[in-house]
Amino acid sequence: MKIFLFIFFLPSIAFAQNPQLIQWFAGADLIGTGNSQEELSNDFFVREFELSAFSQIDHVWQGSLTMSMHKDAGSIDQPTAEVHEAFLFSNQAINNTNIKIGRFFLGFGRLNRFHRHDWALSEAPTYHEEFFGEEAVRDEGVEISKLLATDFYLDLTMGITSGKEFVHSHSESHSEDEDEDHETVTPQVPTHYLRLASFTEFSTQRGIEYALNYVGRTDNAGVKSQYIGLDFIYKNKFSKFYKDLLQLEVWNRATEEEGEIHNDIGGYLYYEKGFDQNHALGFLVDWYTPEGAHDEEEEEEHSHGFEVEDYFTEVGMVYSYYNSEFMRTRLTLSHGDGLTIDEKRRDNTKLLLQMVFTIGAHPAHVY
Amino acid sequence: MSINTLVLIFILTLIPVDSFSETKVVTTLPELKWIAQELKVPQLETISLLSGSEDPHFVDASPSFVLKIKNADLIIVNGLQLEMGWVPSAIEKAGNSKIQFQAKGYCDASEYVEKAQVTPNYNRSMGDIHPQGNPHYTLSLTQMSLAAKKIAECLSSVAPTYQELIQKNLSKLQNDFSQKLKAQKEKLSFLSETALMTYHLEFVYYLKDYSGESKGTIEKIPGVLPSSSHLFKISKLAKEKNVKLVLASITHPRKYLEKFRSMTKIPFIQMPMHLTSEYKSYWDYQDALAAEIIKNVKD
């Protein structure tokens, strides 16, 4: 918390010296939930608060520091500040290459590369939550992204990170038994990943980016996980809004433990139709299918503890009101159906309100 | 796949295979490309990232832009933060040290432009304001001539062998701008006494060339769709000021312009704000814009 307070008061010091020196960004994500299942919590809360500073360090390196506070629905615990990202970045050390060193969101897939307030979705799809956590896998390591010397767009991203942290749960990571959580213990093989992305342009405002992803890791208990996924995004932009936005990810996780392999498949599809710079209507399909049917006892013994026993699907309609470039309000009505171990989301109809706003200078994203 | 395989793949990607004999110049806007071409530098490859039909405020940093600038020797931008939402991130991703901000290969064409509407005390409640000045100077012949001076300097910097030739061609081009302005002033002299309105703030420099000015904007706040109450107020004002025409971009929402027209009976025109492929040259584009204004005001 001391670090958080220091960073919070730093702007006045920095701006007094040179207003151009550091760029600041802050954002918050407000969530309201209503569920048809009585045992699920209905809540309205600040899910996330983020404070970020970034700047050129010298002629080669930039620095980016982000602190955040998260809260889960129904939680009465006071959220704790944590280091979201803290990394060095350079696009000048090696030609046509971006390098990241430090703690960062791992550069694979679509959702995993972006902070949640920038997502087209309000919540992580089920498979994403199971595979990569509520927001994204973040870890300490090195990532290199290289534009290959081809006549067409081909971008190769590779990274190796400690693997001490993989599926990040905000509620779990601050629990007292954190040290006993196998996900935070040094793994046998660190997290390593690769993303090969290409792009097809139809016009300057319309194109498809598609990528093949691989993520691997063997945890401390010897459970080997390999993830292979495809991510795809189609954008058709007109002036300030997307006439059409189609986003899709499909992932397979192969988990090998004591010679036995489980394959779990999941994905989502999101389509949004923009009507003008304020209004858009979206359609969401989210599905997750762990391999085969397992009985509860087996699931509870499984080191990865699948929450979804057999299958889970969710279909939703999303209305987005883009108040401005820096604020949006999103209402999602969805129905989830599936066999879950803890029955958390079984046959549940949910209304989700999300409000996101940002102040300051947000670093721009590539596509 | 093992970590060793990943390391091997990475090492292979570092082997440089790119080689270019030409000087590669990338511009954000097609009219800036046109200027670079008019300076007639030998062995110059020029590419514009935009086609001219987009709203350059709100373009995404497309991977195709990254591909085009990854080996560029020079990038020429409009500046005044017009492209701030996408050019910095495209440059960052491209990782081309030659065109980084403030490097020799980064050219801000607005440097000598006589900036209008500079707003130092800016905050977001004012909408899509550009604190360093209105960025829509490429519609103005006067300001384009000043932009050409900066572009010539930038080209001389990356192709010093042709410095004299560039200077000679710049003099000719600036003379052409003066001649064109003189001819346009004869055709558009009525603009100094004709009440016009605009949807956004794109025509500030253009109207200034002809001693004209907008009596108001359909937008209440730049970048924000007009409310019904604002449309009512601005319609009343337009009638009081005897407004003859509303000027707008093809990227502006037509339904608000139509609503305004139905309330006031004042016509509007929607033109591309940049040089698109339907025009043979920037001169042709200026002629088309003038012809459209003349047709709607005088007919």
Side-chain angles (χ1 to χ4, degrees):
Chain A
M1 183 56 88
K2 282 178 183 172
I3 294 171
F4 178 76
L5 288 172
F6 171 71
I7 287 183
F8 193 79
F9 287 109
L10 196 59
S12 57
I13 302 166
F15 278 119
Q17 292 167 349
N18 182 350
Q20 303 300 319
L21 192 62
I22 299 178
Q23 291 192 288
W24 291 90
F25 160 81
D29 179 15
L30 284 66
I31 291 287
T33 54
N35 294 283
S36 64
Q37 278 201 2
E38 287 178 3
E39 60 267 35
L40 293 177
S41 62
N42 301 320
D43 202 355
F44 180 73
F45 62 107
V46 178
R47 181 171 65 176
E48 192 168 68
F49 165 73
E50 215 174 76
L51 180 67
S52 184
F54 56 99
S55 178
Q56 200 73 32
I57 298 168
D58 56 27
H59 62 293
V60 176
W61 293 96
Q62 296 168 28
S64 181
L65 305 166
T66 305
M67 297 291 291
S68 71
M69 297 173 85
H70 293 262
K71 193 179 174 189
D72 295 321
S75 168
I76 54 166
D77 297 335
Q78 278 302 308
T80 313
E82 63 174 21
V83 178
H84 219 40
E85 290 190 293
F87 63 86
L88 294 161
F89 172 84
S90 178
N91 64 350
Q92 297 192 58
I94 304 170
N95 201 36
N96 299 147
T97 305
N98 288 190
I99 302 172
K100 269 185 190 176
I101 302 169
R103 179 175 173 80
F104 49 83
F105 282 36
L106 275 50
F108 60 76
R110 176 78 195 176
L111 296 178
N112 204 83
R113 291 181 296 131
F114 292 85
H115 290 210
R116 187 162 48 180
H117 64 252
D118 284 326
W119 286 4
L121 316 175
S122 294
E123 282 190 319
T126 316
Y127 88 86
H128 185 93
E129 196 175 331
E130 294 286 338
F131 290 2
F132 308 126
E134 291 169 359
E135 186 171 20
V137 179
R138 76 200 72 141
D139 199 2
E140 282 98 18
V142 180
E143 180 182 290
I144 293 171
S145 182
K146 167 86 178 162
L147 287 172
L148 302 186
T150 50
D151 290 338
F152 57 97
Y153 181 83
L154 201 55
D155 180 41
L156 180 64
T157 300
M158 288 176 292
I160 297 177
T161 62
S162 75
K164 288 179 186 171
E165 184 176 336
F166 197 73
V167 177
H168 180 88
S169 165
H170 302 113
S171 52
E172 283 175 18
S173 66
H174 308 300
S175 63
E176 288 176 3
D177 60 353
E178 181 175 341
D179 293 340
E180 293 171 15
D181 182 351
H182 78 275
E183 297 288 6
T184 61
V185 175
T186 304
Q188 289 183 10
V189 178
T191 303
H192 51 286
Y193 57 96
L194 180 151
R195 180 175 187 262
L196 185 64
S198 191
F199 180 76
T200 300
E201 183 186 58
F202 301 116
S203 75
T204 53
Q205 301 267 66
R206 199 159 67 87
I208 301 174
E209 187 188 56
Y210 37 92
L212 179 66
N213 302 273
Y214 168 81
V215 185
R217 176 178 180 267
T218 303
D219 70 15
N220 185 258
V223 179
K224 185 179 178 184
S225 301
Q226 289 186 305
Y227 304 74
I228 292 175
L230 288 168
D231 67 86
F232 170 103
I233 187 159
Y234 168 76
K235 291 183 181 181
N236 178 18
K237 197 171 190 185
F238 177 76
S239 190
K240 265 188 158 180
F241 67 100
Y242 295 105
K243 281 184 172 176
D244 305 283
L245 174 74
L246 180 65
Q247 191 173 319
L248 170 73
E249 281 188 72
V250 181
W251 284 84
N252 180 80
R253 174 175 65 184
T255 311
E256 184 180 347
E257 185 180 18
E258 295 172 357
E260 194 179 345
I261 299 175
H262 292 280
N263 281 288
D264 313 314
I265 300 172
Y268 70 91
L269 181 148
Y270 179 68
Y271 172 71
E272 184 174 292
K273 177 79 184 165
F275 299 104
D276 60 27
Q277 68 186 54
N278 293 139
H279 306 280
L281 203 57
F283 174 69
L284 171 69
V285 180
D286 164 12
W287 73 93
Y288 177 52
T289 313
E291 187 178 56
H294 311 281
D295 59 47
E296 277 193 32
E297 196 176 333
E298 184 190 345
E299 285 304 327
E300 284 167 355
E301 288 173 356
H302 195 285
S303 61
H304 281 256
F306 297 124
E307 286 183 354
V308 177
E309 183 182 358
D310 189 9
Y311 73 94
F312 183 83
T313 56
E314 189 168 27
V315 177
M317 294 295 292
V318 184
Y319 167 70
S320 297
Y321 180 75
Y322 293 88
N323 308 62
S324 70
E325 211 178 325
F326 311 104
M327 180 176 170
R328 71 168 176 272
T329 306
R330 184 180 284 145
L331 197 62
T332 305
L333 178 64
S334 63
H335 180 76
D337 177 27
L339 299 174
T340 67
I341 289 295
D342 58 3
E343 298 189 358
K344 192 170 111 186
R345 296 167 72 178
R346 184 179 185 174
D347 291 331
N348 181 44
T349 299
K350 180 156 75 175
L351 190 63
L352 184 72
L353 171 71
Q354 181 193 27
M355 295 177 79
V356 179
F357 67 90
T358 65
I359 54 175
H362 191 282
H365 292 300
V366 168
Y367 218 61
Chain B
M1 189 179 298
S2 69
I3 293 179
N4 290 341
T5 314
L6 280 178
V7 171
L8 180 64
I9 292 170
F10 170 65
I11 291 168
L12 288 173
T13 64
L14 295 182
I15 299 170
V17 293
D18 305 327
S19 66
F20 289 94
S21 56
E22 290 186 318
T23 302
K24 187 173 177 183
V25 176
V26 178
T27 69
T28 53
L29 303 176
E31 55 268 33
L32 301 179
K33 175 189 163 185
W34 176 82
I35 289 179
Q37 287 175 329
E38 288 298 302
L39 293 171
K40 296 183 171 59
V41 184
Q43 291 187 300
L44 194 74
E45 182 194 359
T46 50
I47 299 170
S48 171
L49 296 179
L50 301 186
S51 68
S53 59
E54 311 87 351
D55 183 339
H57 295 91
F58 305 113
V59 174
D60 280 354
S62 160
S64 64
F65 300 161
V66 175
L67 181 67
K68 284 168 186 163
I69 65 174
K70 76 173 185 178
N71 293 313
D73 298 295
L74 178 67
I75 184 165
I76 302 170
V77 302
N78 179 92
L80 299 176
Q81 300 188 341
L82 180 69
E83 309 102 328
M84 71 178 295
W86 53 283
V87 164
S89 53
I91 288 176
E92 181 178 293
K93 180 66 190 167
N96 176 353
S97 57
K98 286 183 281 189
I99 59 163
Q100 298 296 315
F101 179 63
Q102 292 192 331
K104 193 170 75 172
Y106 183 91
C107 182
D108 182 344
S110 72
E111 185 169 329
Y112 300 124
V113 166
E114 295 156 346
K115 282 100 181 161
Q117 299 178 323
V118 176
T119 315
N121 297 316
Y122 156 79
N123 67 59
R124 282 189 189 166
S125 70
M126 298 157 80
D128 294 342
I129 289 287
H130 298 259
Q132 294 168 359
N134 184 315
H136 304 290
Y137 62 82
T138 64
L139 284 175
S140 157
L141 290 159
T142 307
Q143 305 308 325
M144 280 289 271
S145 179
L146 297 171
K149 182 186 170 193
K150 179 62 188 176
I151 291 171
E153 282 181 10
C154 296
L155 286 173
S156 298
S157 168
V158 294
T161 319
Y162 302 110
Q163 201 165 351
E164 278 184 30
L165 177 70
I166 293 167
Q167 199 53 47
K168 186 182 143 198
N169 290 336
L170 173 65
S171 299
K172 183 186 174 303
L173 182 59
Q174 288 193 308
N175 186 53
D176 291 346
F177 273 117
S178 298
Q179 294 302 314
K180 189 68 183 175
L181 182 60
K182 198 175 164 188
Q184 296 292 85
K185 276 183 173 172
E186 285 177 18
K187 287 194 278 184
L188 296 168
S189 57
F190 65 89
L191 286 180
S192 61
E193 293 166 354
T194 306
L196 298 174
M197 276 188 173
T198 57
Y199 180 86
H200 182 61
L201 300 166
E202 280 104 340
F203 291 88
V204 170
Y205 296 98
Y206 182 82
L207 292 175
K208 201 175 169 191
D209 272 358
Y210 309 107
S211 306
E213 63 174 351
S214 171
K215 300 296 178 194
T217 59
I218 306 296
E219 290 177 323
K220 182 180 179 185
I221 296 169
V224 179
L225 294 175
S227 63
S228 297
S229 62
H230 178 67
L231 276 177
F232 178 75
K233 280 181 196 165
I234 201 79
S235 299
K236 201 174 158 196
L237 179 70
K239 286 174 188 168
E240 285 170 9
K241 300 280 183 185
N242 195 25
V243 169
K244 299 291 183 192
L245 181 65
V246 176
L247 304 174
S249 160
I250 51 171
T251 60
H252 294 150
R254 192 174 177 85
K255 71 175 180 181
Y256 293 95
L257 291 160
E258 287 175 342
K259 196 170 179 184
F260 180 82
R261 184 174 61 188
S262 72
M263 293 165 84
T264 60
K265 311 296 178 208
I266 297 169
F268 66 87
I269 58 170
Q270 282 189 282
M271 292 283 288
M273 291 296 99
H274 304 280
L275 180 60
T276 62
S277 58
E278 65 187 287
Y279 306 105
K280 289 177 196 161
S281 68
Y282 183 74
W283 311 131
D284 189 29
Y285 168 63
Q286 284 285 334
D287 286 341
L289 182 55
E292 198 66 20
I293 293 170
I294 291 165
K295 188 176 91 180
N296 282 279
V297 172
K298 292 202 163 178
D299 288 357

